[in-house]
Amino acid sequence: MLRAGLIRRLGTGLYTWLPMGLRTLKKVEAIVREEMNRAGALEVVMPIIHPAELWQESGRWQKYGADLLRLKDRHQRDYCVAPTHEEVITDIARREIKSYRQLPVNFYQIQTKFRDEIRPRFGVMRAREFVMKDAYSFHMDEAGLAQGYGIMFHTYTRIFTRMGLTFRCVQADSGAIGGKTSHEFQVLAESGEDAIAFSDADDYAANLELAVAAAPAQARAVGVESLRKVATPGVRTMAELARFLKIEPARCLKTLIVEGEDNTLVALALRGDHDLNALKAQKLPGVASPLRMAGADRIMALAGSEPGSIGPVGWAHRLYADHSALILADFVCGANEKDAHFTGVNWERDVKGAVAADLRNVVAGDPSPSGKGTLKIVRGIEVGHIFQLGQLYSEALNATVLDEGGHSVTPYMGCYGIGVTRIVAAAIEQNHDERGIIWPEPIAPFQVVLVALSSQKSDRVREVSDRLYDEFRADGIEVLFDDRDARAGVKFADAELLGIPHRVVVGERGVESGRLEYRGRRDTASQDFVLNDALAFIRSRLR
Ligand code: ATP
Ligand code: MG
């Protein structure tokens, strides 16, 4: 985006949109706006600076953490720069919506947000200041919310389809925003930050954070070995352990110690080849949320061992074991002392009181939790996220409406976000080659690039290219006219970098022969067309 001149960086996570980038951004916005309007949502614009009192009322002034940028005005009053607008829209609702007759309703805006992200990266993909479309719906009851949520689900599907993006809708965690049911819309791309697990046999799809690792169908194997302590000098990692003992990591147990509630520690045991899923772990009873690994000194004080040597044999505190670790027999684990491991370990006999839990990230090939097929994993970029909030915010801010019987009820809310600026970056991540961007047509900054060769020297080239430019534009086609005094190679390279879908070249030879050169951005070779039929030819190429 920097090379193509779409954006410029001002500071960490802060970007200026230059004319070429802004054209695409405006197209993305236009599609979002059209589809939101089609769905019956009403556009509003809310302030970017919010008084602290409102966020104190919802409890998020404390809860939101360091992502919330706080500031003071000249009277030393506290404010924040809005990362999201649940509080403000609920404040509007509690003042304006009094009766069931006014519901359901859905308000949206397309507006700048600020989140002081820990690690802003990949340009506008994860910026601090970015543009979001955020929408908030209000309903009389849960059934109404489910219906409104369904409408947004379809609207989002239409939006990303219209943009020409390949995407997937997945079950998601609701994170800091809160609520129960939630889906993310993920643009599929190798470089994506998120991993998505989906079944190859039905429509189960979930963010890896949330994807359920089904408990294995097979029963635990019968242990035959006795517990033995073996010397493992210098062995630090799981890979080293497996190599040293010449066994699979899947036969070893990985024990992680995390902070529990009330100053306790909790042990989490997983198969050596599996990865801990922090989100699943921090939802378990007794485990501190957000998940925090226990410090070495804490573990030493409580278990008399350093973290790298810890194992569950003799662990006297809360212990969770992943389902697939619990079917192991005769396994290997840390012996709670340096340079030693236990082999031939068995549950119940050697380790008592382990509670079964889903602790791990799913891996490709796991059975789908839907019961059909196996899981595959692809990478994605989250461009949209929809939530059923329920009464979380309406309750906190005391928003009520009168129902048909004149009773005061607390409305149900949904909220629906789209990363407008992130979509531009995501579209490029999904559609590019080594020469540059390949815009999906609906969001390309221009449809056609008209490249005039040596127009400074040739009157005829200038006449023909000027005429085509006017003709195309008069027909409503968006044309970028490259009439710079530059070499052909430079112009072609820039056209490819910019990713304009259709390229027409006007040169001396073409003008003379009455045939011009055309090339689509994804084409491997150019083709000729008759100059006199230029408009009809280009029209036939446009979607
Ligand atoms: P992420 O998990 O990527 O941090 P989020 O879950 O915090 O995002 P939401 O609160 O769901 O984000 O916001 C709605 C949408 O806004 C997201 O789906 C994403 O497309 C976009 N978005 C969120 N944070 C950023 C950011 N820092 N820069 C650009 N776009 C963002
Ligand atoms: Mg999200």
Side-chain angles (χ1 to χ4, degrees):
M1 292 179 76
L2 290 166
R3 266 177 63 203
L6 307 189
I7 55 170
R8 285 293 176 262
R9 183 179 173 280
L10 174 65
T12 307
L14 305 171
Y15 290 89
T16 296
W17 286 81
L18 296 179
M20 193 65 70
L22 189 63
R23 286 185 70 97
T24 286
L25 187 61
K26 289 292 168 195
K27 290 198 169 177
V28 169
E29 268 187 39
I31 292 173
V32 170
R33 183 172 280 115
E34 256 179 62
E35 294 300 331
M36 290 303 289
N37 290 346
R38 186 199 304 277
L42 304 171
E43 188 167 2
V44 295
V45 177
M46 292 179 260
I48 297 180
I49 305 291
H50 298 178
E53 289 76 29
L54 199 53
W55 284 71
Q56 281 154 356
E57 244 189 288
S58 74
R60 284 208 290 188
W61 185 258
Q62 285 75 28
K63 252 198 279 172
Y64 210 95
D67 275 17
L68 188 66
L69 181 64
R70 298 148 210 258
L71 47 111
K72 286 186 194 294
D73 69 4
R74 63 170 80 202
H75 306 295
Q76 301 305 307
R77 286 192 208 105
D78 288 315
Y79 292 85
C80 64
V81 187
T84 179
H85 280 73
E86 283 78 13
E87 280 80 359
V88 173
I89 198 70
T90 310
D91 181 60
I92 292 282
R94 70 180 167 184
R95 291 165 196 275
E96 306 296 330
I97 301 173
K98 304 282 182 214
S99 154
Y100 71 93
R101 290 198 199 85
Q102 293 167 279
L103 297 183
V105 69
N106 184 328
F107 295 113
Y108 79 97
Q109 62 176 348
I110 297 177
Q111 192 229 33
T112 299
K113 299 274 185 280
F114 191 94
R115 294 182 182 179
D116 201 355
E117 299 269 355
I118 302 188
R119 255 173 267 112
R121 63 206 135 145
F122 315 133
V124 298
M125 192 74 89
R126 182 171 297 284
R128 295 198 296 168
E129 188 179 301
F130 60 98
V131 178
M132 195 199 287
K133 185 286 298 173
D134 46 329
Y136 308 87
S137 66
F138 294 85
H139 310 270
M140 283 304 288
D141 49 32
E142 220 162 351
L145 169 58
Q147 200 181 4
Y149 187 84
I151 292 171
M152 281 299 110
F153 190 103
H154 285 297
T155 301
Y156 275 42
T157 304
R158 282 186 66 103
I159 287 172
F160 298 119
T161 304
R162 267 189 67 182
M163 288 176 188
L165 299 171
T166 305
F167 66 96
R168 232 185 144 112
C169 176
V170 306
Q171 293 175 25
D173 182 64
S174 47
I177 306 268
K180 275 188 300 181
T181 304
S182 155
H183 287 88
E184 285 168 356
F185 289 76
Q186 296 268 356
V187 164
L188 304 187
E190 284 290 335
S191 63
E193 275 188 307
D194 288 12
I196 300 160
F198 65 96
S199 165
D200 58 7
D202 65 10
D203 58 8
Y204 178 83
N207 192 309
L208 191 78
E209 291 180 338
L210 206 76
V212 178
Q218 68 265 43
R220 179 184 302 159
V222 179
V224 291
E225 297 176 24
S226 51
L227 184 71
R228 281 203 316 134
K229 191 192 286 181
V230 298
T232 51
V235 166
R236 290 273 173 282
T237 64
M238 190 53 66
E240 283 166 8
L241 177 65
R243 215 175 311 127
F244 186 85
L245 296 177
K246 298 189 176 58
I247 55 166
E248 294 294 313
R251 292 273 320 283
C252 304
L253 200 72
K254 176 151 73 181
T255 309
L256 304 166
I257 310 297
V258 300
E259 293 289 339
E261 286 163 349
D262 309 325
N263 210 29
T264 58
L265 293 183
V266 179
L268 307 173
L270 296 136
R271 234 169 65 179
D273 58 332
H274 285 153
D275 288 327
L276 177 70
N277 180 308
L279 202 67
K280 291 177 181 177
Q282 74 192 27
K283 286 178 185 166
L284 294 170
V287 175
S289 177
L291 196 74
R292 275 175 287 131
M293 289 297 164
D297 44 341
R298 290 264 290 145
I299 297 175
M300 185 57 89
L302 209 74
S305 162
E306 48 182 287
S309 310
I310 199 98
V313 178
W315 177 257
H317 313 277
R318 206 189 271 264
L319 166 64
Y320 288 106
D322 185 69
H323 295 296
S324 49
L326 269 181
I327 62 164
L328 294 177
D330 298 333
F331 57 87
V332 174
C333 68
N336 302 316
E337 61 180 69
K338 205 162 180 263
D339 295 337
H341 281 81
F342 284 127
T343 64
V345 189
N346 282 284
W347 299 106
E348 307 306 333
R349 188 192 69 189
D350 308 318
V351 184
K352 300 193 175 51
V355 177
D358 177 8
L359 289 179
R360 66 178 179 96
N361 286 335
V362 297
V363 293
D366 276 344
S368 168
S370 60
K372 278 209 195 117
T374 55
L375 293 179
K376 291 199 153 44
I377 294 177
V378 291
R379 302 210 67 88
I381 300 166
E382 179 195 323
V383 290
H385 197 166
I386 59 177
F387 306 77
Q388 292 190 20
L389 292 173
Q391 295 169 306
L392 222 58
Y393 293 92
S394 41
E395 219 159 60
L397 299 190
N398 287 313
T400 56
V401 292
L402 295 180
D403 69 9
E404 277 179 80
H407 305 292
S408 175
V409 300
T410 306
Y412 285 73
M413 286 175 65
C415 83
Y416 318 92
I418 286 185
V420 175
T421 39
R422 182 182 283 183
I423 286 173
V424 180
I428 298 173
E429 287 301 327
Q430 188 175 72
N431 301 281
H432 67 270
D433 60 16
E434 64 289 348
R435 288 168 298 166
I437 305 167
I438 308 177
W439 287 114
E441 296 217 21
I443 58 172
F446 290 92
Q447 295 171 288
V448 176
V449 54
L450 183 65
V451 180
L453 301 180
S454 339
S455 55
Q456 264 72 14
K457 291 179 210 108
S458 162
D459 290 344
R460 290 176 69 198
V461 166
R462 199 166 52 246
E463 269 164 41
V464 169
S465 49
D466 278 351
R467 177 160 53 81
L468 284 182
Y469 181 57
D470 291 341
E471 246 180 59
F472 287 175
R473 288 211 310 166
D475 200 54
I477 298 171
E478 297 168 324
V479 198
L480 175 64
F481 191 3
D482 189 352
D483 60 352
R484 291 176 300 171
D485 184 13
R487 283 183 297 113
V490 170
K491 294 188 170 195
F492 292 160
D494 282 348
E496 285 177 327
L497 175 61
L498 277 177
I500 312 295
H502 307 279
R503 185 182 82 190
V504 171
V505 182
V506 184
E508 188 80 58
R509 223 176 314 140
V511 172
E512 236 156 67
S513 65
R515 298 187 71 82
L516 297 186
E517 185 196 293
Y518 164 85
R519 186 157 174 172
R521 180 62 180 82
R522 285 189 192 272
D523 297 349
T524 47
S526 305
Q527 66 182 97
D528 285 356
F529 66 91
V530 177
L531 170 57
N532 289 336
D533 296 336
L535 186 59
F537 175 80
I538 285 301
R539 272 265 151 243
S540 74
R541 300 283 121 178
L542 301 181
R543 291 214 318 185

